Coordinates of all heavy atoms in Angstrom, one line a residue:
L1 N -29.0 -24.1 -70.3 CA -30.1 -23.3 -69.8 C -30.6 -22.3 -70.8 O -31.8 -22.0 -70.9 CB -29.7 -22.7 -68.5 CG -29.3 -23.7 -67.3 CD1 -28.9 -22.9 -66.1 CD2 -30.5 -24.6 -67.0
D2 N -29.6 -21.6 -71.4 CA -30.0 -20.6 -72.4 C -30.8 -21.2 -73.6 O -31.8 -20.6 -74.0 CB -28.7 -20.0 -73.0 CG -28.9 -18.8 -73.9 OD1 -29.8 -18.0 -73.5 OD2 -28.3 -18.7 -75.0
K3 N -30.4 -22.5 -73.9 CA -31.2 -23.2 -75.0 C -32.6 -23.5 -74.5 O -33.6 -23.4 -75.3 CB -30.5 -24.5 -75.4 CG -31.1 -25.3 -76.5 CD -30.3 -26.5 -76.8 CE -31.0 -27.3 -77.9 NZ -30.2 -28.5 -78.3
K4 N -32.7 -23.9 -73.2 CA -34.1 -24.3 -72.7 C -35.0 -23.0 -72.7 O -36.2 -23.1 -73.0 CB -33.9 -24.8 -71.3 CG -33.3 -26.1 -71.1 CD -34.3 -27.2 -71.5 CE -35.4 -27.4 -70.5 NZ -36.4 -28.5 -70.8
V5 N -34.4 -21.9 -72.4 CA -35.1 -20.6 -72.4 C -35.7 -20.3 -73.8 O -36.9 -20.0 -73.9 CB -34.3 -19.5 -71.9 CG1 -34.9 -18.1 -72.2 CG2 -34.0 -19.6 -70.4
R6 N -34.8 -20.4 -74.7 CA -35.2 -20.0 -76.1 C -36.1 -21.1 -76.8 O -37.0 -20.7 -77.5 CB -33.9 -19.8 -76.9 CG -33.2 -18.5 -76.6 CD -32.0 -18.2 -77.4 NE -30.8 -19.1 -77.1 CZ -30.4 -20.1 -77.9 NH1 -30.9 -20.3 -79.0 NH2 -29.3 -20.8 -77.5
H7 N -35.9 -22.4 -76.6 CA -36.6 -23.4 -77.2 C -37.9 -23.7 -76.5 O -39.0 -24.0 -77.1 CB -35.8 -24.7 -77.4 CG -34.7 -24.5 -78.4 ND1 -34.0 -25.6 -79.0 CD2 -34.2 -23.4 -79.0 CE1 -33.1 -25.1 -79.8 NE2 -33.2 -23.8 -79.9
D8 N -37.9 -23.8 -75.2 CA -39.1 -24.2 -74.4 C -39.8 -23.1 -73.7 O -40.8 -23.3 -73.0 CB -38.6 -25.3 -73.3 CG -38.0 -26.5 -74.0 OD1 -38.2 -26.7 -75.2 OD2 -37.3 -27.2 -73.3
K9 N -39.3 -21.9 -73.8 CA -39.8 -20.7 -73.1 C -40.0 -21.0 -71.6 O -40.9 -20.6 -70.9 CB -41.2 -20.4 -73.6 CG -41.3 -20.2 -75.2 CD -40.3 -19.1 -75.6 CE -40.4 -19.0 -77.2 NZ -39.4 -18.0 -77.7
Q10 N -39.0 -21.8 -71.0 CA -39.0 -22.1 -69.6 C -38.1 -21.3 -68.8 O -36.9 -21.2 -69.1 CB -38.6 -23.6 -69.5 CG -38.7 -24.1 -68.0 CD -38.3 -25.6 -67.9 OE1 -37.1 -25.9 -68.0 NE2 -39.2 -26.5 -67.6
T11 N -38.6 -20.6 -67.8 CA -37.7 -19.8 -67.0 C -36.8 -20.7 -66.1 O -37.2 -21.7 -65.5 CB -38.6 -18.9 -66.0 OG1 -39.4 -18.1 -66.7 CG2 -37.7 -18.1 -65.1
Q12 N -35.5 -20.3 -66.1 CA -34.5 -21.1 -65.4 C -34.1 -20.3 -64.2 O -33.6 -19.2 -64.3 CB -33.3 -21.4 -66.3 CG -33.7 -22.1 -67.6 CD -34.3 -23.5 -67.4 OE1 -33.8 -24.3 -66.6 NE2 -35.4 -23.8 -68.1
I13 N -34.2 -20.9 -63.0 CA -33.9 -20.2 -61.7 C -32.7 -21.0 -61.1 O -32.7 -22.2 -61.0 CB -35.1 -20.2 -60.8 CG1 -36.3 -19.7 -61.5 CG2 -34.8 -19.4 -59.5 CD1 -37.6 -19.9 -60.7
F14 N -31.7 -20.2 -60.6 CA -30.5 -20.8 -60.0 C -29.9 -19.9 -59.0 O -30.2 -18.7 -59.0 CB -29.6 -21.3 -61.1 CG -29.3 -20.4 -62.1 CD1 -28.2 -19.5 -62.1 CD2 -30.1 -20.3 -63.3 CE1 -27.9 -18.6 -63.1 CE2 -29.8 -19.4 -64.3 CZ -28.7 -18.6 -64.2
I15 N -28.9 -20.5 -58.3 CA -28.2 -19.7 -57.3 C -26.7 -20.0 -57.4 O -26.3 -20.9 -58.1 CB -28.7 -20.0 -55.8 CG1 -28.6 -21.5 -55.6 CG2 -30.0 -19.5 -55.6 CD1 -29.1 -21.9 -54.2
E16 N -25.9 -19.2 -56.7 CA -24.5 -19.4 -56.7 C -24.0 -19.0 -55.3 O -24.6 -18.3 -54.5 CB -23.8 -18.4 -57.7 CG -22.3 -18.5 -57.8 CD -21.7 -19.8 -58.0 OE1 -21.8 -20.7 -57.1 OE2 -21.2 -20.1 -59.1
T17 N -22.8 -19.6 -54.9 CA -22.2 -19.2 -53.7 C -21.9 -17.7 -53.7 O -21.3 -17.2 -54.7 CB -20.8 -20.0 -53.5 OG1 -21.1 -21.4 -53.5 CG2 -20.2 -19.6 -52.2
P18 N -22.3 -17.0 -52.7 CA -22.3 -15.5 -52.7 C -21.0 -14.9 -53.2 O -21.0 -13.9 -53.9 CB -22.6 -15.1 -51.3 CG -23.5 -16.2 -50.8 CD -23.0 -17.4 -51.4
Y19 N -19.8 -15.5 -52.9 CA -18.6 -14.8 -53.3 C -18.3 -15.1 -54.7 O -17.3 -14.5 -55.3 CB -17.4 -15.3 -52.4 CG -17.0 -16.7 -52.5 CD1 -16.1 -17.2 -53.5 CD2 -17.5 -17.7 -51.5 CE1 -15.8 -18.5 -53.5 CE2 -17.1 -19.0 -51.6 CZ -16.3 -19.4 -52.6 OH -15.9 -20.7 -52.7
R20 N -19.1 -15.9 -55.4 CA -18.9 -16.1 -56.9 C -20.0 -15.5 -57.7 O -20.1 -15.7 -58.9 CB -18.8 -17.6 -57.2 CG -17.5 -18.3 -56.8 CD -17.3 -19.6 -57.5 NE -18.3 -20.6 -57.0 CZ -18.0 -21.6 -56.1 NH1 -16.8 -21.7 -55.5 NH2 -19.0 -22.4 -55.8
N21 N -20.8 -14.7 -57.1 CA -21.9 -14.1 -57.8 C -21.5 -13.3 -59.0 O -22.0 -13.4 -60.1 CB -22.8 -13.2 -56.9 CG -23.7 -13.9 -56.0 OD1 -24.1 -15.0 -56.3 ND2 -24.0 -13.3 -54.8
N22 N -20.5 -12.4 -58.8 CA -20.0 -11.5 -59.9 C -19.5 -12.3 -61.0 O -19.7 -12.0 -62.2 CB -19.0 -10.5 -59.3 CG -19.6 -9.5 -58.4 OD1 -20.8 -9.2 -58.5 ND2 -18.8 -9.0 -57.5
Q23 N -18.7 -13.4 -60.7 CA -18.1 -14.2 -61.8 C -19.2 -14.9 -62.6 O -19.1 -15.1 -63.8 CB -17.2 -15.2 -61.2 CG -16.4 -16.1 -62.2 CD -15.7 -15.3 -63.2 OE1 -14.9 -14.4 -62.9 NE2 -15.9 -15.5 -64.5
L24 N -20.2 -15.4 -61.9 CA -21.3 -16.0 -62.6 C -22.0 -15.1 -63.6 O -22.2 -15.5 -64.8 CB -22.4 -16.6 -61.6 CG -23.6 -17.2 -62.2 CD1 -23.3 -18.3 -63.1 CD2 -24.6 -17.6 -61.1
V25 N -22.3 -13.9 -63.2 CA -22.9 -13.0 -64.2 C -22.0 -12.7 -65.4 O -22.4 -12.6 -66.5 CB -23.3 -11.7 -63.5 CG1 -23.8 -10.6 -64.5 CG2 -24.4 -11.9 -62.5
N26 N -20.7 -12.6 -65.1 CA -19.7 -12.4 -66.2 C -19.8 -13.6 -67.2 O -19.8 -13.5 -68.4 CB -18.3 -12.3 -65.7 CG -18.1 -11.0 -65.0 OD1 -18.8 -10.0 -65.3 ND2 -17.1 -10.9 -64.1
D27 N -19.9 -14.8 -66.6 CA -20.0 -16.0 -67.4 C -21.3 -16.0 -68.2 O -21.4 -16.4 -69.4 CB -19.9 -17.3 -66.6 CG -18.6 -17.5 -65.9 OD1 -17.6 -16.9 -66.5 OD2 -18.5 -18.2 -64.9
L28 N -22.4 -15.6 -67.6 CA -23.7 -15.6 -68.3 C -23.7 -14.6 -69.4 O -24.2 -14.9 -70.5 CB -24.8 -15.2 -67.3 CG -25.2 -16.2 -66.2 CD1 -26.1 -15.5 -65.1 CD2 -25.8 -17.4 -66.7
L29 N -23.1 -13.4 -69.2 CA -23.0 -12.4 -70.2 C -22.2 -12.9 -71.4 O -22.5 -12.5 -72.6 CB -22.4 -11.1 -69.7 CG -23.3 -10.4 -68.7 CD1 -22.5 -9.2 -68.1 CD2 -24.6 -9.9 -69.3
S30 N -21.2 -13.7 -71.2 CA -20.3 -14.2 -72.3 C -20.8 -15.4 -73.0 O -20.5 -15.6 -74.2 CB -18.9 -14.5 -71.7 OG -18.9 -15.6 -70.9
K31 N -21.7 -16.2 -72.4 CA -22.2 -17.4 -73.0 C -23.6 -17.4 -73.5 O -24.0 -18.2 -74.4 CB -22.0 -18.6 -71.9 CG -20.6 -18.7 -71.4 CD -19.6 -19.0 -72.4 CE -18.2 -19.2 -71.8 NZ -17.2 -19.4 -72.8
C32 N -24.5 -16.5 -72.9 CA -25.9 -16.5 -73.3 C -26.1 -15.6 -74.5 O -25.3 -14.7 -74.8 CB -26.7 -16.0 -72.1 SG -26.8 -17.2 -70.8
S33 N -27.2 -15.9 -75.2 CA -27.7 -15.0 -76.3 C -27.9 -13.6 -75.8 O -28.4 -13.4 -74.7 CB -28.9 -15.6 -76.9 OG -29.5 -14.7 -77.8
A34 N -27.6 -12.6 -76.6 CA -27.8 -11.2 -76.3 C -29.2 -10.9 -75.9 O -29.5 -10.0 -75.2 CB -27.3 -10.3 -77.4
S35 N -30.2 -11.6 -76.5 CA -31.6 -11.3 -76.3 C -32.2 -12.1 -75.1 O -33.3 -11.8 -74.7 CB -32.4 -11.7 -77.5 OG -32.3 -13.1 -77.8
T36 N -31.4 -13.0 -74.5 CA -31.9 -13.7 -73.3 C -32.0 -12.7 -72.2 O -31.1 -11.9 -71.9 CB -30.9 -14.9 -72.9 OG1 -30.9 -15.8 -74.0 CG2 -31.4 -15.6 -71.7

């Protein structure tokens, strides 16, 4: 998804089970480009 954002300029929209929201953001922060 991070690659799609950078290469295609396509906004990626998604959801998570509410009790995993915080973990998802931690994963995004660790895996995505700092400028995303």
Side-chain angles (χ1 to χ4, degrees):
L1 297 180
D2 188 44
K3 182 178 179 181
K4 288 286 289 184
V5 165
R6 288 182 285 110
H7 288 194
D8 300 339
K9 309 301 180 185
Q10 183 183 71
T11 300
Q12 304 298 313
I13 309 171
F14 46 92
I15 53 180
E16 177 57 289
T17 302
Y19 66 85
R20 286 198 292 261
N21 283 333
N22 290 334
Q23 182 57 52
L24 174 57
V25 172
N26 289 336
D27 293 339
L28 292 171
L29 291 175
S30 66
K31 304 300 180 185
C32 291
S33 169
S35 61
T36 297

